[in-house]
Amino acid sequence: MRSRRLPVAHKVTDLEISMSLIVQKFGGSSVADAEGVKRVARRVVDTQKAGNDVVVVVSAMGDTTDELLDLAAEVTSNVTPSRELDMLLTAGERISTAILSMAINDLGAKAQSFTGSQAGMITDGVHGSARLVEVNPDRIRESIEAGNIAIVAGFQGMNRQSGDITTLGRGGSDTTAVALAAALNADVCEIYSDVDGVFTADPRIVPTAHKLDTVTSEEMLEMAANGAKILHLRSVEYARRFNLKLHVRSSFSNLEGTIVIPEESAELTPTHLKEIPLEQPLISGVAHDRTRAKITVVGVPDVPGSAAKVFGLLNEAKVNLDMIVQNVPTDRPGVTDISFTLDQAQGPTALKALEDAKAELGFQEVIYNESVGKLSLVGAGMKTNPGVSFTFFEALSAAGVNIDMISTSEIRISVITELSKLDEAVRAVHTAFGLDAEGEATVYGGTGR
């Protein structure tokens, strides 16, 4: 197998393409049924016939993971991350790898399927959201050197200490693909889904969203962190760390897709500069997230160290927090209210940790609300353009959207609002910043579930 690596953002020539190692990842909607599997198989074989070495990472077919979770819920009331749940959920990807390998072999090419552990994906021992600690793809290299297309099950790995199978969390197949691409010194990692690239908003919510030809890794990181489902957050972090080029495309079309441009600090050549717009767009996109919940800890003693105790407790419970606001009520002297958002899946864990420590922390009550949504405006152009905040909040006001919490960074504004108003808010902000296209975006498959 060739180990030569092209510069990350290099625009390859036809000759160079014929010498590339390409990692391709296909999502569940791309392999949702037999016809989808055969379509993916043809694309993969065509990529190899063009002279490339190919590694494929595949997700479970269609809504298989959700269906397995539903099945688990029918036999137990305790569907929480565990060894047995990971054993169940990883079955979906194993089915996909085997069936895709069969389809590729039927086309006359050679393919071998691998589970995450067989592919050398070594993780910590956290079930449901394991993190990669090592990638050792020796068997993948051997397979490619033998002329095979290697098909790897995404979303999964193995903890070396326990020997148990683990999962990387929803969307983890993206992370599998990027980690393998980095470990194999691949030229590019192509992420295939049911849309033609990265759009200015979810085209299921905003049909007039338009595709971005390029987006910076910094912007993509903010979009992924704030609800954009096109790429898994950890995969973007991984690609950014290893300066890996990502190409987001649709498996249902041959359109060019979106290039995620690596770090600005990477060495840029004149060829690189052809891919980067001369003027950074003001706004790259509007992201939304329906998976947030809000917790308010009411009546926390307003003394130094109280907030540290609250967040220390949540840290011990391994609860990841998002937005945080502290309010000092004028009608209740000596106390403060602390509000924060988190993933709904971690809501029960956070509530139990707080209730168990109520006497120790001395607060009055905990209020939990899952009927909230998060809306985020992302764009590197915010750094140098005034008036963004005014346009953003004016659009929300005109749409009758009330704001509960606000958080900002150099290139992002995020708000928490009522869940029932979220879709309307996304469309209002998208229009206010002139992001609407004349036609409608095409969504080829998938349910958005």
Side-chain angles (χ1 to χ4, degrees), residues 13 88 102 148 153 170 173 175 217 228 323 340 359 396 399:
T13 66
L88 173 67
M102 293 176 186
N148 297 307
R170 298 303 296 265
S173 293
T175 301
S217 61
M323 301 168 67
F340 55 87
L396 293 177

Side-chain angles (χ1 to χ4, degrees), residues 352-368:
K352 185 178 186 306
L354 289 168
E355 291 293 351
D356 288 348
K358 184 175 181 179
E360 176 189 348
L361 297 176
F363 61 83
Q364 297 170 7
E365 64 174 326
V366 175
I367 301 174
Y368 183 70

Side-chain angles (χ1 to χ4, degrees), residues 156-358:
Q156 60 186 255
M158 181 189 74
N159 177 253
R160 181 174 283 132
Q161 282 68 42
S162 66
D164 287 339
I165 299 300
T166 57
T167 59
L168 307 181
R170 298 303 296 265
S173 293
D174 287 356
T175 301
T176 300
V178 173
L180 272 175
L184 292 167
N185 204 27
D187 296 285
V188 64
C189 181
E190 298 179 339
I191 306 292
Y192 288 87
S193 68
D194 56 4
V195 291
D196 287 322
V198 179
F199 281 74
T200 49
D202 186 341
R204 296 178 181 87
I205 305 302
V206 185
T208 54
H210 71 267
K211 183 181 70 68
L212 301 169
D213 293 332
T214 62
V215 63
T216 69
S217 61
E218 181 184 27
E219 291 170 315
M220 194 66 248
L221 196 63
E222 288 280 15
M223 291 170 71
N226 290 283
K229 296 180 181 179
I230 190 67
L231 285 173
H232 191 229
L233 173 61
R234 280 159 59 187
S235 73
V236 182
E237 292 174 336
Y238 216 113
R240 199 175 185 210
R241 185 182 313 142
F242 290 95
N243 214 26
L244 179 70
K245 178 180 177 180
L246 298 180
H247 192 178
V248 184
R249 309 181 68 180
S250 171
S251 61
F252 297 84
S253 77
N254 291 315
L255 297 179
E256 192 59 29
T258 303
I259 300 292
V260 181
I261 300 172
E263 284 289 273
E264 293 178 359
S265 59
E267 182 180 353
L268 295 177
T269 68
T271 308
H272 284 71
L273 295 175
K274 294 178 182 178
E275 291 189 349
I276 301 176
L278 293 178
E279 187 72 22
Q280 184 65 43
L282 174 60
I283 298 300
S284 290
V286 182
H288 71 281
D289 191 348
R290 304 179 194 281
T291 68
R292 298 291 93 187
K294 177 187 174 186
I295 289 180
T296 300
V297 186
V298 180
V300 179
D302 190 15
V303 295
S306 290
K309 290 180 181 178
V310 170
F311 296 126
L313 180 76
L314 296 169
N315 177 60
E316 290 177 6
K318 300 188 183 303
V319 174
N320 294 320
L321 306 184
D322 187 10
M323 301 168 67
I324 301 172
V325 172
Q326 182 171 347
N327 296 316
V328 179
T330 57
D331 59 337
R332 288 179 285 131
V335 297
T336 185
D337 299 337
I338 299 175
S339 298
F340 55 87
T341 59
L342 72 169
D343 193 293
Q344 290 177 5
Q346 292 194 304
T349 301
L351 288 174
K352 185 178 186 306
L354 289 168
E355 291 293 351
D356 288 348
K358 184 175 181 179

Side-chain angles (χ1 to χ4, degrees), residues 363-383:
F363 61 83
Q364 297 170 7
E365 64 174 326
V366 175
I367 301 174
Y368 183 70
N369 182 11
E370 286 191 348
S371 297
V372 297
K374 182 179 179 182
L375 169 66
S376 300
L377 185 72
V378 178
M382 290 185 190
K383 296 178 182 179

